Amino acid sequence: MIDIKRLRDDADNIIKRLNTRGDDHSYLYDVLKYDEERRELVQKVEEYKNYRNEKSKQIGEMKRKGEDASAILAEVDKYADDIKALDDRINELDAKIFKMLSETPNVPRETIAVGPDETYNVCLREVGERTKFDFEPKPHYEIAEGLDIVDFERAAKITGSRFAIYKGLGAKLERALIAYMLDLHTTEHGYFEMIPPFLVNSKTMYGTGQLPKFEEDMFGVRNTDYWLIPTAEVPLTNYNCDEILQNPEFPMRFTAYTPCFRAEAGSAGRDTRGLIRQHQFNKVELVMYAHPDHSYEALDMLTENAEEVLKRLGLPYRVMQLCTGDIGFGAANTNDLEVWMPGFDTYREISSCSNCEDFQARRANIKFKEDGNSKAEYIHTLNGSGVAIGRAFSAILENYQQADGSVVIPEVLVPYMGGVTKIEKK
């Protein structure tokens, strides 16, 4: 959530920057009007309460003296009614301000490119040569079906479209990727592994920005306040909600494997075949808590940690800095990793590494305090995929496919595959 104090001090610039996302945010001027009225009313309420307290003392003294205090009592009662009316209006203004700010995205960082869509994203670097073949490469879903390692048809029968059943060596490869990424991030990159709940409440979804604005993109559990997590970012980021961390060692790093659940509302027709855009998929997530002065150093670290997965898997990729019209709701700056998919002859996002600055921390109320500093500050939160398992699975099938339909296993995964070096037709 945007800091209301920051909005008071720099409204024109903030609104101008937010408008580069592609929507009109001039309604924030109304927020400032509501805020000004609220502050005036709060001051008036305090004056009324002070006056009422003084009169209450006077009434007590008059009663002790046996004097008639009925006139002053009537005046005090009137002030009580006035205070209640003012408090009701303050609560009404609070609700309006809260709703409007809750649905306002983060302010894009000044240094990122301005543009309405992904065509304005900036390529920071391209790593590895695009895989070339002396035959026509197939998309991953054709390879998977040919090897009988993923079953889309029966998944659709037992659940619905955009679900998959991994089978045999396909299931083993999926599991190998999860274990490999967790081992890499915990043993070499310094992340602390967790297994969080896959269900969270509305307050938690609010903390990371999924609610209230993106409710239609989520799967809620009927007759409960539970939601299936769209990413492990949600429980991991909220781990220290409503807490003040004492002398934390920044950056704090968390990782977790979870299934992820997304309704993908509004994405009809986009990558609906195969594993690229599923309602349920696996992901290893990376989350950081960072000091506000060093969160962009942490973003570089987070991005490099995710990149290392792709480097060791031998997958060509590029790093794209997203423009203002393409970054997510809670992000101030995002670096997308896009893996080369020869079956599609294009790059596809496989990790999105974002610095949310203090946007999520304000919503989740996560602060820190250091020795010698009496004031608690909001942390900066960062998150990124380390990486999306289904998309890594797909990229391996497409980049390591052979002319006979088999798929070579990347060397780093062979130990996790029990020594299997190739998936071949039966």
Side-chain angles (χ1 to χ4, degrees):
M1 182 178 289
I2 295 175
D3 181 6
I4 188 70
K5 294 179 181 178
R6 182 182 174 193
L7 185 61
R8 290 172 195 152
D9 294 339
D10 197 19
D12 291 341
N13 185 54
I14 287 174
I15 292 170
K16 179 181 178 181
R17 193 67 187 163
L18 281 169
N19 285 348
T20 64
R21 283 177 167 269
D23 297 318
D24 182 13
H25 295 85
S26 58
Y27 62 83
L28 289 173
Y29 288 117
D30 291 332
V31 171
L32 290 177
K33 291 177 183 177
Y34 296 145
D35 176 61
E36 183 177 1
E37 180 185 352
R38 181 192 179 279
R39 285 186 289 156
E40 291 174 355
L41 293 180
V42 167
Q43 183 176 346
K44 188 174 291 186
V45 166
E46 289 303 312
E47 292 173 356
Y48 281 7
K49 286 180 178 179
N50 290 336
Y51 184 79
R52 182 186 62 185
N53 292 339
E54 291 175 5
K55 289 298 181 182
S56 295
K57 292 177 183 178
Q58 185 179 347
I59 289 168
E61 292 174 2
M62 292 177 70
K63 285 184 175 180
R64 282 194 294 273
K65 294 177 182 178
E67 298 175 356
D68 181 14
S70 57
I72 300 178
L73 275 168
E75 185 179 354
V76 168
D77 288 342
K78 181 181 181 303
Y79 269 92
D81 292 339
D82 290 342
I83 289 171
K84 183 181 183 307
L86 291 174
D87 280 338
D88 288 345
R89 177 58 179 165
I90 289 171
N91 290 335
E92 181 184 340
L93 291 168
D94 280 341
K96 286 184 176 182
I97 293 170
F98 180 80
K99 183 178 187 301
M100 295 169 83
L101 290 182
S102 292
E103 296 181 353
T104 300
N106 203 350
V107 181
R109 193 183 186 199
E110 292 284 351
T111 55
I112 67 175
V114 173
D117 54 44
E118 62 185 17
T119 60
Y120 287 78
N121 295 343
V122 177
C123 183
L124 299 181
R125 54 189 170 274
E126 193 167 332
V127 180
E129 293 185 10
R130 301 177 187 183
T131 312
K132 297 178 181 178
F133 302 91
D134 56 7
F135 58 91
E136 185 68 26
K138 295 179 180 179
H140 67 275
Y141 49 83
E142 290 185 12
I143 301 168
E145 290 173 331
L147 293 171
D148 195 27
I149 57 174
V150 179
D151 194 327
F152 297 104
E153 185 176 341
R154 288 185 175 88
K157 182 173 64 175
I158 65 175
T159 306
S161 61
R162 300 202 201 180
F163 289 89
I165 297 173
Y166 292 83
K167 303 167 57 180
L169 289 179
K172 196 174 187 69
L173 177 57
E174 182 87 350
R175 181 159 52 90
L177 282 163
I178 294 167
Y180 168 68
M181 291 180 201
L182 287 174
D183 284 351
L184 174 63
H185 295 314
T186 55
T187 61
E188 296 191 36
H189 296 158
Y191 289 82
F192 184 74
E193 184 177 354
M194 305 175 81
I195 301 177
F198 303 160
L199 292 169
V200 296
N201 57 33
S202 294
K203 181 178 181 293
T204 300
M205 292 284 270
Y206 172 81
T208 39
Q210 282 75 26
L211 293 181
K213 191 173 179 63
F214 301 103
E215 180 175 345
E216 67 172 7
D217 291 324
M218 306 300 135
F219 285 114
V221 180
R222 187 178 297 173
N223 299 324
T224 74
D225 186 41
Y226 294 150
W227 301 81
L228 289 166
I229 60 169
T231 163
E233 168 201 344
V234 178
L236 293 185
T237 302
N238 280 278
Y239 181 66
N240 292 109
C241 67
D242 297 320
E243 293 182 24
I244 298 176
L245 307 175
Q246 300 293 330
N247 296 311
E249 292 187 15
F250 289 127
M252 297 173 64
R253 285 163 277 190
F254 310 102
T255 187
Y257 151 72
T258 67
C260 305
F261 305 89
R262 299 185 187 178
E264 294 283 3
S267 63
R270 295 171 57 200
D271 295 322
T272 53
R273 287 199 68 183
L275 298 169
I276 299 299
R277 195 175 297 274
Q278 295 270 291
H279 289 310
Q280 176 186 322
F281 58 94
N282 295 315
K283 184 152 68 79
V284 169
E285 184 72 359
L286 307 175
V287 165
M288 284 188 180
Y289 290 176
H291 191 286
D293 293 342
H294 302 289
S295 65
Y296 280 95
E297 296 167 30
L299 179 60
D300 290 341
M301 180 191 299
L302 181 72
T303 304
E304 290 168 5
N305 294 158
E307 283 186 78
E308 190 64 26
V309 174
L310 302 180
K311 287 179 180 178
R312 297 196 188 189
L313 289 175
L315 296 173
Y317 70 93
R318 66 184 183 184
V319 182
M320 304 293 291
Q321 185 181 70
L322 302 193
C323 70
T324 56
D326 201 30
I327 57 173
F329 178 80
N333 194 124
T334 297
N335 297 328
D336 268 8
L337 307 189
E338 297 180 346
V339 68
W340 176 248
M341 302 288 286
F344 291 89
D345 193 33
T346 191
Y347 286 96
R348 284 286 189 270
E349 178 206 331
I350 196 168
S351 176
S352 201
C353 301
S354 298
N355 187 352
C356 298
E357 298 183 352
D358 63 359
F359 185 84
Q360 291 179 327
R362 289 181 178 278
R363 298 170 77 101
N365 192 28
I366 310 171
K367 297 181 179 180
F368 74 99
K369 187 182 289 187
E370 296 176 313
D371 289 342
N373 185 357
S374 59
K375 184 179 179 182
E377 298 179 61
Y378 288 105
I379 64 165
H380 280 194
T381 63
L382 301 93
N383 65 80
S385 302
V387 292
I389 306 299
R391 296 190 177 194
F393 182 103
S394 304
I396 288 171
L397 296 193
E398 294 197 10
N399 284 277
Y400 283 89
Q401 63 180 296
Q402 306 297 303
D404 63 359
S406 63
V407 173
V408 173
I409 301 298
E411 185 176 347
V412 293
L413 294 181
V414 171
Y416 294 89
M417 291 290 291
V420 173
T421 59
K422 183 184 285 190
I423 302 176
E424 301 179 272
K425 292 181 180 179
K426 296 179 182 179

